[in-house]
Amino acid sequence: MKKTLPPLIFLFVLLILWQAGAMGLDAAYILPSPIQILQKLWELRQPLLTVHLPATMNITLIGLLISVVLGLFLAILMDLSEMAERSLYPIIIASQTIPTTAIAPLFVLWFGYGIWSKILVTILMTFFPITITVYDGFKSTKREMEELLISFGASKKDIFIKLKLPAALPAFFSAIKMAVPLSIIGAAIGEWLGAQKGLGYFSRRMMTQLDGAGVFAPIVLLSVVAMIIVAIINVLEKILVRWRKEL
């Protein structure tokens, strides 16, 4: 209760302030109240949960999986080769200076309104934190530990598997927790700019109808899904990185 009660109280206060502000503004098309959003979620539960949410999560999971594979590959490559680090690091940084809203329409033009234009937006937004965070995790290993393993006759492969991988595991979970919300945002942005289904598409359609609660309903649903996924990752992290508590 000591851990859960303060955040619950804080959330309750925020909802009360939001409700009071929405009632005072009295313009639901601009700022709907939490009650109106919950009512809209209940009214639209069938299309949201059976059509639009699965479409968005399909894009999110595929894009996140590709980003994890790509991010780990780049991080390992830069850790193993100094030349690869010098070549790839500036390009990886430069890729994040491209505005997503500028490149996403180009993806739609190149790949159409299918799933891959949205997946590419998701990858563009998520591979960066995975790559950089895991790479920093590799570099965080202490030189003294490496020298100790070398003195025991360990090879570079042994050092990487037995020292660097465990050391980078907390960084990997941190990267995944950052990438999950970004992947959902990327999928929603891709759907917003061009799609036939998905929560981003649904929110845009509600905006054209000046339905404020309809705009917020898929956003709230995405936020809840992101929090659930991150909570699951937290549980996995506690199971797989038990030694972290000892530090």
Side-chain angles (χ1 to χ4, degrees):
M1 289 295 293
K2 290 180 180 180
K3 293 182 179 180
T4 58
L5 191 58
L8 288 176
I9 293 175
F10 180 69
L11 178 62
F12 181 74
V13 171
L14 286 180
L15 291 175
I16 291 296
L17 292 175
W18 183 358
Q19 181 72 28
M23 293 175 64
L25 185 61
D26 195 21
Y29 63 93
I30 298 177
L31 182 64
S33 68
I35 293 177
Q36 290 172 325
I37 295 172
L38 289 176
Q39 290 174 343
K40 184 64 66 171
L41 275 171
W42 179 253
E43 293 173 7
L44 300 173
R45 64 189 183 278
Q46 198 277 333
L48 287 178
L49 296 177
T50 61
V51 178
H52 299 291
L53 179 61
T56 301
M57 294 311 300
N58 186 37
I59 295 171
T60 299
L61 293 177
I62 294 175
L64 185 60
L65 179 61
I66 296 175
S67 295
V68 169
V69 174
L70 177 62
L72 290 177
F73 172 76
L74 292 175
I76 293 172
L77 184 61
M78 289 192 298
D79 180 69
L80 295 177
S81 172
E82 186 176 348
M83 182 179 296
E85 176 191 357
R86 292 178 179 177
S87 302
L88 294 175
Y89 203 94
I91 298 175
I92 294 171
I93 298 297
S95 69
Q96 300 306 298
T97 63
I98 304 173
T100 305
T101 52
I103 195 68
L106 293 178
F107 288 156
V108 174
L109 289 176
W110 295 339
F111 300 96
Y113 289 97
I115 188 174
W116 285 105
S117 59
K118 289 79 176 172
I119 290 175
L120 287 174
V121 176
T122 303
I123 294 172
L124 181 64
M125 295 185 64
T126 53
F127 89 96
F128 174 78
I130 296 174
T131 303
I132 299 301
T133 307
V134 174
Y135 174 69
D136 289 341
F138 289 147
K139 292 301 181 182
S140 67
T141 55
K142 295 182 179 180
R143 181 61 186 170
E144 294 84 358
M145 296 296 294
E146 293 187 36
E147 292 174 350
L148 178 62
L149 289 179
I150 291 173
S151 67
F152 289 153
S155 63
K156 289 185 177 180
K157 180 181 177 181
D158 295 328
I159 293 173
F160 182 80
I161 294 175
K162 297 181 179 180
L163 178 62
K164 290 193 172 183
L165 277 182
L169 201 55
F172 171 74
F173 279 106
S174 297
I176 294 298
K177 286 184 281 189
M178 286 189 291
V180 166
L182 289 175
S183 64
I184 292 177
I185 293 172
I189 290 176
E191 292 170 346
W192 183 282
L193 296 175
Q196 297 177 340
K197 58 182 178 180
L199 293 176
Y201 158 78
F202 186 85
S203 180
R204 181 175 61 85
R205 194 180 75 181
M206 291 295 101
M207 179 174 286
T208 60
Q209 300 175 10
L210 297 180
D211 187 343
V215 172
F216 274 83
I219 295 174
V220 171
L221 186 57
L222 285 175
S223 299
V224 172
V225 170
M227 288 188 289
I228 292 173
I229 295 175
V230 171
I232 294 173
I233 294 172
N234 278 326
V235 173
L236 291 175
E237 183 180 13
K238 291 179 180 179
I239 294 174
L240 298 176
V241 196
R242 296 179 180 179
W243 50 265
R244 193 176 190 181
K245 298 179 181 180
E246 301 173 1
L247 297 178

